Amino acid sequence: MHEWMARKLSLRLRVFLFFAFVAFGGLAAVLLGLWLGYRRVAEAGVESGFVFAGLVACCGILGLVVWVWFLFDENVAKAIQKLAGGMRARAHADIAEELDHAPARYLGDLAPAAQAITGSLTETKNALAEAVERETTRLAIDNARLQALLGDVPAGVLLCTSDHQIVFYNGQAQEVLSGEVDAGLDRSLLDYLRAGPLQNAYARLVASEDSDAAGDILCAGMVSGEVLAGRMRLVHLPQRSADDPGYVLTLRDVTTDLELHAGREELLEEVFERVRRPAANLQTVLDSGAAEDGNGRAALLGEVGVLTHAITDLGARYDAARGGWWPMEEIRASELVDSVVALTAREGIILTAEAEKLMLRCDAFQIVALLTHLCERLSNVIRATALSLRISAEEDGGALVTIGWFGDVLQVGLLDGWMDVQLEVGLSNVTGRTVLASHATEVWPESGAIGRALLRLPLRQAIPTDRAPAVARRSAIYDFDLMDREPTGALAETPLRELTCVVFDTETTGLLPSSGDEIVQIAALRLLGGKRIPGEEFETLVNPERPIPASATEVHHVTNEMVAGAPTIAVIGRQFHKFAHDAVLVAHNAPFDLEFLRRHEGDIGKRFDHPVLDTVLLSAVVFGQSETHTLDALTERLGIVIPPEARHTAMGDTIATAAALEMMIPMLEGQGYRTFGEVIGAVRKHSRLLKDANSPDKVPG
């Protein structure tokens, strides 16, 4: 019947019939009351009959009104609310799915008209997006190339505003800067480097009034105190005042270089000190002529022994230290032997080679040249056969390079002669001997098994590839809009698109923190300008110091074995607090996650009094309180796909929450909520749904 009315009757006719039904229903209730009251007159009197008639009429009219209200709320108010939310989502959040007009089927042509409008809007936006994509493809390619180029620059490169906020950084800058938290956009450079040298260098360049002013700078890290050498150059942008230009800063860690230089100077001083005295004593003995008697010869021999020991010891220390002065690189052992095989093959030499899974630290170009030189000499001079090359791990943490062949053991004198031959490495005066010296090593011959002879050459630094250090991040991270952003003062006045947000989620042993449930996993990521910052993430397991129930493991798949060696919340809480420094915390059902953190503030030593945005309440503002606001329902409405394996993992839910926030920001702006304070004022109207996690004294609504 309802479906027939929706299809056959117009909206105006349905509204007329609806109110006609209300009128006739009210009239019927009054007549029924009068009739029943009239029947009571004979028994209870006229007054009682009229009272009874009035009660019956009132109850009938009240029931009719409640029923009418329910129908209007279910089929008109909620339908309009759902229709408006769907239209707003498609207008501001780039949702391409067709608008579902089934909930508004009793609103006549309104639902089809809304569907037509949103469909037309989607088509227009798609056409515009295609045009923009065609025009920006070249720029995107150039941008990717630029990022790759800057990511591979060997020095750290940063672009900062006049107040030292980071706008751009490459992967090397992330490695160079060390602080309580990793380098990130919109963080202050003064959190990582001591302020004095930076501020003085910037003031000096600004005072020069030279648009191309640049200068060298030497500064130190805030935490570990490493020494960084760099160069600062002012950057004048058209959008900003000439009085507050930004600057580009290149940085290189010279701590090791300075330590090696200091070590060399100290060694040289010791050389002169330890050689000067016995040399002077020798000269005294010789000048006095005492060397002719027995006691004089004994003294002379003693001083010669002291001098010989000093020279031998200092020479060995110099050779050992020299390996740290030469620029080294990391290379896989397999790649090194492949290079030697390829070069020897050009000379017609058949070389079998193998290497264990090792990462070597050496001057690969020189080592390859030396090994190729030795293989060529063995093949061409002594006619060695069945040449082989092997690199294996040593127990002391180094590697051993072994060249083997069938034949006699190589004579030491012949090997020494080969070491004096200049190698073809593009540098003058580079011989096998200088290569050995720069790597603080040596090469020697020895006999092998069953007629084989060997050459051994150890390398000092090698680690298995499964323990190789992580590859430095190559990408460059930037947001040049930060250069144009003006301070807004109070947080409540800050536009949503200018907030620095940390979206986070936790997985726990249960749902009752007051009963002892604890966090087992926490993940977070940073958003700036309403967009996710690539690479700026936080994810870790947490030891709850209590068993994880099997029912909880079934949900988030975190087991007791996984968290056994993880840090406790006291440690992780401090790390997370640093990651979220000066940011707005965002979570789905934030009071739940924050309660687990706030109850440990004493152990952590920090307060989690950050401003908070809750996507549950934001969803209520955007879509209406009557909707379902679970994370699954919200992401489904917004067209966000959560892979099944990522659902109920800390990072998976964090990514989904962040995506929902990104899409809801323009929708909130479309409703007129543009600042943080305006949004907080709106969410507090839905306190019956969920309590706002912000402190009223810190974030007034």
Side-chain angles (χ1 to χ4, degrees):
M1 182 65 178
H2 292 292
E3 296 297 332
W4 178 85
M5 289 181 61
R7 291 195 306 268
K8 298 297 183 180
L9 302 181
S10 68
L11 178 61
R12 294 185 65 189
L13 181 57
R14 287 200 300 272
V15 171
F16 169 75
L17 293 176
F18 201 78
F19 281 95
F21 174 76
V22 172
F24 283 111
L27 181 60
V30 171
L31 293 175
L32 177 63
L34 290 173
W35 181 72
L36 292 175
Y38 174 76
R39 295 190 60 180
R40 288 180 57 88
V41 169
E43 299 178 3
V46 175
E47 182 179 354
S48 177
F50 275 103
V51 170
F52 184 76
L55 290 174
V56 171
C58 289
C59 290
I61 293 173
L62 181 61
L64 182 64
V65 170
V66 170
W67 182 56
V68 169
W69 167 82
F70 174 78
L71 292 177
F72 257 84
D73 183 64
E74 190 68 26
N75 298 305
V76 178
K78 286 184 179 180
I80 291 175
Q81 190 176 65
K82 289 184 178 182
L83 198 63
M87 293 175 66
R88 188 176 294 111
R90 282 149 185 81
H92 299 290
D94 295 330
I95 296 177
E97 295 179 3
E98 184 177 339
L99 181 66
D100 181 15
H101 66 280
R105 59 187 178 276
Y106 297 114
L107 297 180
D109 291 334
L110 179 61
Q115 187 177 33
I117 289 174
T118 54
S120 177
L121 176 62
T122 300
E123 292 177 2
T124 303
K125 291 170 68 175
N126 289 340
L128 178 61
E130 290 176 1
V132 171
E133 184 178 2
R134 287 194 300 269
E135 294 299 324
T136 57
T137 297
R138 180 181 59 83
L139 295 177
I141 293 174
D142 290 344
N143 177 60
R145 291 171 177 169
L146 177 62
Q147 287 197 51
L149 175 64
L150 291 174
D152 280 335
V153 170
V157 181
L158 300 107
L159 174 63
C160 301
T161 64
S162 57
D163 52 357
H164 309 290
Q165 297 298 114
I166 299 174
V167 173
F168 168 99
Y169 65 92
N170 65 350
Q172 282 67 29
Q174 180 76 279
E175 299 296 324
V176 170
L177 298 181
S178 62
E180 293 185 343
V181 293
D182 292 338
L185 295 183
D186 203 31
R187 296 191 188 277
S188 175
L189 188 60
L190 304 185
D191 291 339
Y192 308 95
L193 303 179
R194 300 194 182 277
L198 287 172
Q199 294 172 336
N200 293 337
Y202 181 78
R204 186 170 60 252
L205 293 178
V206 171
S208 69
E209 298 183 354
D210 182 358
S211 60
D212 293 326
D216 294 329
I217 181 175
L218 196 66
C219 51
M222 182 66 72
V223 177
S224 56
E226 68 277 13
V227 181
L228 304 173
R231 186 169 182 81
M232 180 184 291
R233 180 182 293 277
L234 296 182
V235 176
H236 293 270
L237 298 178
Q239 297 88 345
R240 294 184 66 89
S241 168
D243 296 332
D244 56 351
Y247 60 88
V248 173
L249 183 66
T250 57
L251 292 173
R252 184 172 62 90
D253 190 344
V254 296
T255 307
T256 302
D257 294 343
L258 293 176
E259 290 176 349
L260 290 172
H261 179 75
R264 292 176 66 180
E265 293 299 317
E266 183 179 352
L267 182 59
L268 287 174
E269 290 180 5
E270 188 176 349
V271 166
F272 290 122
E273 180 65 26
R274 293 181 60 180
V275 172
R276 186 184 294 115
R277 186 175 301 165
N281 292 338
L282 282 175
Q283 187 64 46
T284 301
V285 172
L286 292 174
D287 291 344
S288 65
E292 298 176 358
D293 57 29
N295 292 333
R297 283 195 298 273
L300 181 62
L301 291 175
E303 293 298 334
V304 169
V306 171
L307 182 60
T308 301
H309 174 73
I311 292 175
T312 302
D313 177 55
L314 292 170
R317 288 168 55 189
Y318 177 81
D319 289 339
R322 188 176 179 184
W325 303 336
W326 195 262
M328 302 294 180
E329 61 183 341
E330 291 181 348
I331 184 173
R332 294 182 182 273
S334 58
E335 296 175 5
L336 192 146
V337 298
D338 288 344
S339 299
V340 176
V341 171
L343 291 174
T344 53
R346 295 179 181 178
E347 303 298 324
I349 301 172
I350 299 176
L351 175 66
T352 59
E354 61 176 327
E356 295 183 7
K357 294 182 178 180
L358 296 172
M359 186 73 74
L360 309 176
R361 183 167 179 79
C362 62
D363 185 328
F365 194 50
Q366 288 194 359
I367 292 296
V368 168
L370 175 58
L371 296 177
T372 302
H373 169 69
L374 290 174
C375 290
E376 290 176 350
R377 292 283 169 162
L378 289 170
S379 178
N380 298 331
V381 176
I382 68 172
R383 304 299 178 184
T385 59
L387 274 173
S388 65
L389 174 64
R390 174 178 169 78
I391 300 180
S392 56
E394 292 279 80
E395 293 183 357
D396 61 358
L400 182 63
V401 181
T402 302
I403 301 176
W405 68 93
F406 280 114
D408 297 331
V409 176
L410 186 64
Q411 298 298 317
V412 174
L414 186 57
L415 178 61
D416 287 342
W418 294 354
M419 289 296 99
D420 293 327
V421 176
Q422 182 168 329
L423 303 178
E424 297 180 1
V425 294
L427 298 174
S428 60
N429 300 322
V430 176
T431 65
R433 202 171 303 282
T434 58
V435 173
L436 296 177
S438 64
H439 289 78
T441 187
E442 56 184 335
V443 61
W444 66 87
E446 63 180 50
S447 60
I450 317 176
R452 285 187 65 80
L454 307 172
L455 277 180
R456 304 283 198 183
L457 191 158
L459 294 174
R460 299 171 60 193
Q461 299 183 49
I463 55 175
T465 52
D466 57 357
R467 293 192 288 112
V471 178
R473 190 193 331 178
R474 296 183 59 207
S475 60
I477 310 300
Y478 65 91
D479 185 349
F480 294 132
D481 290 339
L482 295 174
M483 298 292 291
D484 307 324
R485 195 173 76 183
E486 297 294 336
T488 56
L491 174 64
E493 301 171 2
T494 303
L496 292 176
R497 291 186 179 275
E498 294 186 7
L499 293 175
T500 298
C501 298
V502 168
V503 186
F504 78 104
D505 183 68
T506 62
E507 299 298 335
T508 63
T509 60
L511 304 178
L512 300 174
S514 59
S515 299
D517 282 323
E518 299 288 354
I519 294 174
V520 299
Q521 188 179 38
I522 185 169
L525 52 84
R526 294 183 79 225
L527 268 68
L528 186 61
K531 300 295 181 183
R532 180 178 172 184
I533 306 175
E536 297 191 13
E537 300 174 352
F538 180 93
E539 183 178 17
T540 182
L541 294 169
V542 183
N543 188 340
E545 298 185 291
R546 57 160 292 175
I548 303 175
S551 58
T553 298
E554 289 180 3
V555 175
H556 50 57
H557 308 297
V558 178
T559 65
N560 290 298
E561 292 74 19
M562 292 169 62
V563 300
T568 64
I569 189 61
V571 176
I572 297 302
R574 284 191 291 271
Q575 295 175 357
F576 176 67
H577 192 277
K578 294 172 184 176
F579 181 80
H581 177 65
D582 286 342
V584 175
L585 289 178
V586 182
H588 196 79
N589 191 6
F592 173 80
D593 297 285
L594 285 172
E595 186 175 357
F596 283 94
L597 293 170
R598 286 172 174 169
R599 64 191 294 265
H600 286 290
E601 287 179 338
D603 297 330
I604 294 171
K606 300 289 184 180
R607 291 193 62 200
F608 289 91
D609 54 359
H610 303 65
V612 179
L613 285 176
D614 194 320
T615 49
V616 171
L617 294 172
L618 295 182
S619 175
V621 173
V622 172
F623 297 106
Q625 187 168 316
S626 61
E627 285 282 6
T628 304
H629 301 291
T630 63
L631 185 58
D632 288 323
L634 177 59
T635 53
E636 183 178 357
R637 277 197 298 273
L638 294 173
I640 300 169
V641 178
I642 308 177
E645 65 275 9
R647 185 67 176 101
H648 292 302
T649 66
M651 183 53 76
D653 288 356
T654 296
I655 293 173
T657 303
L661 177 64
E662 289 182 44
M663 299 180 74
M664 285 193 290
I665 285 178
M667 298 169 68
L668 290 164
E669 292 174 336
Q671 291 181 271
Y673 305 120
R674 297 186 176 275
T675 67
F676 182 77
E678 291 171 344
V679 169
I680 294 302
V683 302
R684 285 178 176 166
K685 296 177 183 178
H686 299 275
S687 58
R688 288 178 298 173
L689 178 66
L690 187 69
K691 182 182 177 182
D692 174 37
N694 288 286
S695 301
D697 57 328
K698 287 189 173 292
V699 186

